[in-house]
Amino acid sequence: MPLFSTRPSRRPRISRSLGDTQLAKVLGKLSKRGSGKAADAELIAELLEETRDDWDLRGHRVSVLAGAASGTGIAETWLERDPDDVDALVFHSWTTLVRALEERRLDDTDALITRCHRAAELSPDDPLPWVVLLGSARVVRFGHKDVDALWRQATARDPWNREAFLQMLALLSPEEGGSSASVLDFVDAVRTRIPANAPCAAVELTAAVRQYQGLLAQGGMRAMTAGQLFESGHLAAALHQAAALWPKPGFFQHAAAPADLNVLAYALCAAGRAADAHPVFQALQGMVTPWPWDVDGPAVQRYEQHLAKSERGRQGGIGGG
């Protein structure tokens, strides 16, 4: 897998597939075929069928493909053809969620709930219908009891489901109607239980990077001292452990590991430890995710700037901050 290749680093580029070569091939074919065709739906159906009960890989592929196909009519074409196909139901529901999060509104909540419940009936062990419903709470703002119930349903089927943790993190954030205190309470409640190499292992650093970027956006003294966030308590320990373990070949096995390594590289640079980020950049082999790099400029450009800083810091034998 390109994530842990020993070849020289490739030129940085945005990577939607994150090293999933089969997914990359389908994405390439979709962009060439156009939108709304039955052939496109068939390509996606075949790819998702291969995942079987690998919930992590399934979630990665569904989320990436839903983002690529949102608004194209592919999901509608597939569901019309196979109304009781669980993959068609989940894929249609996820594309609906993508649009709802982009537009900050959900036109037909009842229809989405019905489709997700039908998918759950057809595949009782699948966490993804419940993850979609959890994500929809970011727009519809379900009550706390309903959100907790959806969280329990999703994690009962896949305790360390990366998408479930990220949806909950976003739902609790101050940007989406929650609060910084709610985010901290959630992270404190889960961080000691999460295995070090679990698909959701980056939840604490993800929350910290979002908080850091929020401080930068405030400007003034808060922005100037934002990097100190990574120097205190549990977060400093988490960053140190992640830097030591995550870039190691084979440590992470989940499909979206490169996305989490992007978060780690960014966090290390934000903390003034650019030299320590060098092994992370090496492991990434140029695979760039838009977030967290794109908050203050083009993602690839910002990635390259921090990569260069990490190389200078390594050569100088200092933190590189």
Side-chain angles (χ1 to χ4, degrees):
M1 183 176 177
L3 174 58
F4 300 120
S5 173
T6 57
R7 297 176 300 172
S9 296
R10 297 175 59 186
R11 185 177 180 84
R13 73 283 180 199
I14 296 293
S15 176
R16 290 188 292 174
S17 65
L18 300 179
D20 184 336
T21 55
Q22 291 176 285
L23 174 58
K25 288 178 181 178
V26 170
L27 287 170
K29 291 179 180 179
L30 289 179
S31 63
K32 294 175 183 177
R33 289 175 182 271
S35 62
K37 295 183 178 179
D40 293 328
E42 187 62 33
L43 278 173
I44 295 173
E46 291 175 0
L47 186 67
L48 294 185
E49 187 176 4
E50 294 174 4
T51 65
R52 300 185 183 276
D53 59 353
D54 185 338
W55 306 129
D56 174 70
L57 180 60
R58 176 172 165 79
H60 170 58
R61 289 180 171 178
V62 169
S63 63
V64 172
L65 288 165
S70 178
T72 65
I74 295 173
E76 289 76 11
T77 297
W78 186 7
L79 191 61
E80 288 173 6
R81 187 190 68 186
D82 300 310
D84 282 326
D85 182 281
V86 65
D87 288 341
L89 286 161
V90 168
F91 186 70
H92 190 287
S93 298
W94 208 300
T95 59
T96 300
L97 175 60
V98 169
R99 290 196 299 273
L101 291 173
E102 289 175 349
E103 300 172 0
R104 303 311 305 173
R105 63 186 178 87
L106 183 56
D107 292 331
D108 195 340
T109 305
D110 290 342
L112 177 63
I113 293 173
T114 298
R115 285 194 297 270
C116 289
H117 283 175
R118 179 58 178 154
E121 291 173 2
L122 293 169
S123 182
D125 294 332
D126 190 347
L128 294 193
W130 304 104
V131 174
V132 172
L133 288 174
L134 187 63
S136 70
R138 295 170 56 186
V139 179
V140 181
R141 305 307 300 184
F142 299 148
H144 291 302
K145 290 184 178 179
D146 291 330
V147 170
D148 289 344
L150 294 172
W151 169 255
R152 289 194 299 271
Q153 292 283 3
T155 54
R157 290 159 174 79
D158 187 11
W160 314 121
N161 186 279
R162 183 176 183 274
E163 282 293 338
F165 276 77
L166 292 180
Q167 295 295 340
M168 181 64 90
L169 198 62
L171 188 154
L172 295 173
S173 70
E175 293 79 13
E176 298 195 12
S179 66
S180 297
S182 297
V183 171
L184 290 175
D185 287 345
F186 173 67
V187 171
D188 284 343
V190 300
R191 62 180 174 77
T192 58
R193 297 188 287 110
I194 299 174
N197 64 342
C200 61
V203 65
E204 184 172 9
L205 282 188
T206 299
V209 167
R210 290 178 178 172
Q211 183 180 359
Y212 168 80
Q213 292 179 339
L215 293 173
L216 290 183
Q218 294 180 41
M221 186 58 66
R222 287 185 177 271
M224 292 176 61
T225 59
Q228 296 176 8
L229 174 70
F230 298 97
E231 299 175 2
S232 59
H234 296 299
L235 188 53
L239 186 59
H240 179 77
Q241 178 177 313
L245 296 178
W246 292 9
K248 289 184 176 181
F251 180 77
F252 271 152
Q253 297 293 323
H254 61 285
D260 295 334
L261 289 178
N262 271 266
V263 173
L264 173 58
Y266 181 96
L268 286 167
C269 292
R273 298 176 54 184
D276 295 333
H278 191 262
V280 187
F281 283 117
Q282 284 188 312
L284 280 167
Q285 290 292 307
M287 282 186 284
V288 182
T289 52
W291 188 84
W293 307 103
D294 62 359
V295 295
D296 58 355
V300 173
Q301 180 182 358
R302 296 296 291 149
Y303 179 100
E304 289 176 328
Q305 290 169 350
H306 286 291
L307 170 61
K309 185 182 291 186
S310 79
E311 291 173 343
R312 291 195 301 270
R314 179 179 63 93
Q315 293 166 0
I318 58 176

